[in-house]
């Protein structure tokens, strides 16, 4: 009788272990996270323009801080290699772009004539250059380019390693962070519980 019970108990424990082990599969956990994200994406979210602008401002500041630290670290390791200023050779910044579905660039004075930029952006960049020439205060800025895009700009301080390495004019050291946000992607990533 004990042998039958013992065999039955070991069978039950084996089945329990198999079920438990299969439920701990990391692939399944990954699929669950993707499913939760998909479900959250389809929830209806009420986000006002003020909340959207506030979120872009907060994320812009955080992204500039993180990207700035990363680029400064890379520039100091590679003796101010200006090739890093395109940001394509900095994997950590590429990961930030993917995570937040944004485009991160560094703009310099020559970009005031860049036809790839929106006219509003070129105008704002011209104002930043004017302020740099006249040593006026520079502040961050958010522009709504159209119904779907926001651009966050943050001037780099003149004495910063990034500004010294990435400027296109040594006589006028000038560099601005440019982060383009897609409205749909911002709303998708917003946690409605954290909105005010």
């Amino acid at each position: 009788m004990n042998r039958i019970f013992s065999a039955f108990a070991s069978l039950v424990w084996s089945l329990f272990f198999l079920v438990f082990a299969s439920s701990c599969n990391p692939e399944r956990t990954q699929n669950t996270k993707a499913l939760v994200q998909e479900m959250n994406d389809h929830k209806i979210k009420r986000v006002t323009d003020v909340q959207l602008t506030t979120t872009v401002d907060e994320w812009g500041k955080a992204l500039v801080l993180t990207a700035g630290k990363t680029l400064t670290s890379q520039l100091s390791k590679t003796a101010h290699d200006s090739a890093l200023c395109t940001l394509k050779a900095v994997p950590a910044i590429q990961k930030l772009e993917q995570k937040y579905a944004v485009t991160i660039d560094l703009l310099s004075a020559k970009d005031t004539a860049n036809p790839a930029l929106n006219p509003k952006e070129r105008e704002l960049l011209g104002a930043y250059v004017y302020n740099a020439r006249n040593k006026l205060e520079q502040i961050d800025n958010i522009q709504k380019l159209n119904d779907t895009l926001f651009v966050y700009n943050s001037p780099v301080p003149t004495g910063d390693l990034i500004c010294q390495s990435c400027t296109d004019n040594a006589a006028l050291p000038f560099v601005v962070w440019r982060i383009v946000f897609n409205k749909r992607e911002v709303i998708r990533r917003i946690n409605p519980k954290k909105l005010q």
Side-chain angles (χ1 to χ4, degrees), residues 163-183:
C163 190
Q164 294 168 358
S165 302
C166 300
T167 191
D168 58 6
N169 181 350
L172 178 67
F174 172 77
V175 177
V176 174
W177 285 103
R178 173 185 183 256
I179 304 177
V180 179
F181 290 89
N182 183 307
K183 180 179 178 179

Side-chain angles (χ1 to χ4, degrees), residues 100-121:
Y100 289 92
V102 296
T103 304
I104 303 175
D105 297 305
L106 279 175
L107 302 179
S108 59
K110 69 178 180 191
D111 288 307
T112 55
N114 184 345
L117 295 178
N118 183 293
K120 284 183 186 178
E121 288 186 88

Side-chain angles (χ1 to χ4, degrees), residues 16 18 74 78 88 92 180 193:
F16 175 76
L18 284 173
Q74 293 291 319
T78 59
K88 302 301 178 217
V180 179
K193 294 176 184 174

Side-chain angles (χ1 to χ4, degrees), residues 2 32 44 65 72 81 84 97 100 114 122-123 156 174 183 193:
N2 280 342
T32 304
I44 296 175
L65 184 65
T72 299
D81 181 7
L84 293 170
E97 287 183 323
Y100 289 92
N114 184 345
R122 291 196 305 265
E123 187 177 313
V156 179
F174 172 77
K183 180 179 178 179
K193 294 176 184 174

Side-chain angles (χ1 to χ4, degrees), residues 33 37 64 69 85 90 108 115 125 128 157 164 183 186 195:
K33 288 179 184 177
Q37 179 63 47
V64 163
K69 284 180 181 178
C85 298
V90 186
S108 59
L125 200 55
Y128 276 132
Q164 294 168 358
K183 180 179 178 179
V186 173
L195 292 176

Side-chain angles (χ1 to χ4, degrees), residues 10-58:
S10 66
L11 179 65
V12 168
W13 279 111
S14 297
L15 285 172
F16 175 76
F17 179 74
L18 284 173
V19 168
F20 180 74
S22 67
S23 68
C24 294
N25 182 347
E27 188 176 306
R28 184 171 181 218
T29 304
Q30 191 105 8
N31 290 342
T32 304
K33 288 179 184 177
L35 183 60
V36 168
Q37 179 63 47
E38 186 72 25
M39 288 170 52
N40 285 335
D41 289 351
H42 290 292
K43 284 183 183 175
I44 296 175
K45 297 177 185 176
R46 185 176 178 275
V47 180
T48 66
D49 284 342
V50 172
Q51 291 169 326
L52 192 61
T53 304
T54 302
T55 301
V56 167
D57 186 50
E58 289 170 2

Side-chain angles (χ1 to χ4, degrees), residues 8 23 41 56 80 89 96 115 136 147 172 176 181 188 190:
F8 179 73
S23 68
D41 289 351
V56 167
H80 310 265
L96 284 174
L136 300 173
D147 289 340
L172 178 67
V176 174
F181 290 89
R188 180 175 168 247
I190 284 179

